[in-house]
């Protein structure tokens, strides 16, 4: 079968996105990696190539899968309308973060099924059944839209991240030079973990793994890193540094394997503040940038959002990262000319600072 997987473009009026970063569509590369048999799979990245009609005509797909964050919902529905208008027999599938948290928003006649949560195994099963012309009902994590929605809950089948195939990065070969985050270019992404052990009030991510922190084995990460050609690598996690012991082992293995890259990852301020030796070790193997959520300038506010960290940790983390000359994301914090201090940063201003600072670095 011919399968087209589509990464939608950012809606015109949405903040952020393509002007200061385009990350590889890791979700679609994972899905492609999971499709068994000799199916013909293509990835279309509409942030870089807008011509869906051309690809529909040229490829004549049997199945089209589109990924969607909440910000993409309306865009994605319009894409499915376009696909069904091209050929109503094309089987349409939506998945991704929005489908996981709010599948009802995709109840529309131009979408045939909705996949919630980790999509690799459910999508593989869908493709197998379509190929064999079997009934699609009853697949865990899938909402079938025949005669009204039938929702089959996800179950626990996807807690082992090492059981997933490696992402098919070869399918984005033509785009790869264009993936970047500000001055880190070309940039690849790799997932090393999923979920979080903290319970911040504003965050949905810990709920998606039912409160668990799922991790890949360091050996497996190193093996995948060895297949990545790009010099810059982003860790597509919810929180990368949480298991400090494991991250120490990972750093050692990367060093031993002779892999030299420039890394960008997520780290909580308390982890950075309490484990400067780990950050130093990572600096030695190429850590260049840490995405830190400082959120508030008063402990009372941090407590209110259940951050589980403190203003003191925030200040110490900034000090540790600055002393090691590691970029702090948002970047203004590490800019010596910046008039902004740590204590002035909060959630909303942080986003503005990312945009201003990113623009000024180009
Ligand atoms: C990297 C990243 C980005 C990158 C872009 C990545 C990309 N490829 O486009 C950047 C930094 C640009 C970014 C931006 C934003 N992001 Co972001 N991002 C992430 C992050 C950290 C990793 C994404 C990733 O690669 N995950 C790994 C892949 C393998 O997992 P996955 O995406 O979940 O895919 C699996 C399943 O969902 C499913 N699946 C996914 N798609 C499909 C499609 C089909 C057909 C099927 C069957 C299954 C399926 O199967 C996949 C494989 O198992 C996630 C958090 C996270 N850990 O996922 C947040 C996250 C996705 N981002 C989020 C948000 C809010 C945003 C922004 C809106 C932030 C903002 N205010 O600007 C913007 C939106 C961008 C835009 N304007 O278009 C939220 C989304 C919440 C939501 N409900 O939509 C997340 C979950 C983080 C959070 N804070 O909660 N982001
Ligand atoms: S530390 Fe980060 S990933 Fe974990 S719950 Fe808080 S905001 Fe979410």
């Amino acid at each position: 079968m011919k399968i087209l997987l589509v990464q939608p473009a950012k809606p015109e009026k949405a903040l952020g996105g393509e002007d200061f970063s385009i990350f590889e569509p890791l979700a679609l590369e994972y899905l492609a990696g999971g499709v068994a048999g000799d199916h013909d799979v293509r990835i279309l990245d509409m942030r870089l190539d807008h011509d869906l009609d051309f690809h529909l005509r040229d490829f004549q797909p049997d199945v089209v899968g589109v990924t969607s964050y909440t910000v993409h919902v309306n865009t994605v529905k319009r894409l499915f309308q376009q696909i069904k208008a091209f050929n109503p027999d094309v089987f349409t599938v939506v998945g991704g973060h929005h489908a996981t948290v709010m599948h009802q928003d995709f109840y529309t006649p131009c979408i045939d099924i909705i996949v919630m949560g980790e999509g690799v195994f459910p999508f593989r099963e869908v493709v197998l059944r379509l190929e064999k012309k079997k009934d699609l009902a009853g697949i865990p994590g899938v909402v079938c839209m025949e005669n009204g929605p039938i929702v089959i809950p996800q179950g626990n089948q996807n807690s082992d991240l090492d059981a997933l195939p490696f992402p098919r990065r070869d399918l984005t070969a033509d785009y790869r030079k264009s993936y970047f985050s500000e001055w880190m270019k070309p940039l690849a992404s790799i997932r090393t973990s999923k979920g979080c052990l903290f319970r911040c009030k504003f965050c949905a991510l810990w709920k998606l793994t039912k409160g668990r922190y799922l991790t890949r084995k360091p050996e497996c990460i190193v093996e995948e890193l060895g297949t990545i050609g790009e010099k810059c690598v982003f860790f597509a996690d919810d929180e990368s540094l949480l298991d400090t012991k494991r991250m120490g082992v990972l750093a050692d293995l990367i060093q031993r394997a002779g892999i030299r890259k420039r890394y960008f990852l997520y780290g909580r301020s308390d982890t950075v503040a309490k484990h400067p030796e780990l950050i130093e070790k990572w600096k030695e193997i190429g850590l260049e940038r840490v995405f830190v959520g400082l959120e508030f300038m008063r402990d009372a506010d941090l407590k209110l959002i259940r951050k589980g960290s403190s203003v003191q940790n925030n200040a110490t983390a900034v000090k540790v990262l600055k002393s090691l000359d590691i970029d702090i994301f948002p970047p203004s914090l590490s800019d010596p000319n910046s008039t902004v201090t740590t204590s002035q940063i909060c959630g909303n201003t942080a986003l503005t600072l990312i945009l201003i600072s990113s623009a000024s670095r180009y």
Side-chain angles (χ1 to χ4, degrees), residues 89-164:
D89 292 335
V90 173
F91 190 84
T92 52
V93 189
V94 69
H97 278 279
H98 195 77
T100 303
V101 295
M102 201 63 83
H103 53 86
Q104 298 86 342
D105 285 347
F106 291 116
Y107 291 3
T108 145
C110 50
I111 296 176
D112 293 316
I113 58 161
I114 303 163
V115 173
M116 304 173 288
E118 282 295 325
V120 171
F121 297 124
F123 188 64
R124 173 188 286 176
E125 182 65 22
V126 166
V127 170
L128 274 174
R129 292 197 193 183
L130 284 173
E131 191 184 20
K132 294 186 175 147
K133 301 197 177 356
K134 277 177 146 179
D135 186 6
L136 290 169
I139 305 173
V142 171
V143 184
C144 272
M145 298 301 291
E146 255 174 79
N147 309 318
I150 303 166
V151 184
I152 308 292
Q154 288 174 53
N156 282 327
Q157 82 278 29
N158 290 319
S159 55
D160 180 5
L161 298 182
D162 288 325
L164 296 170

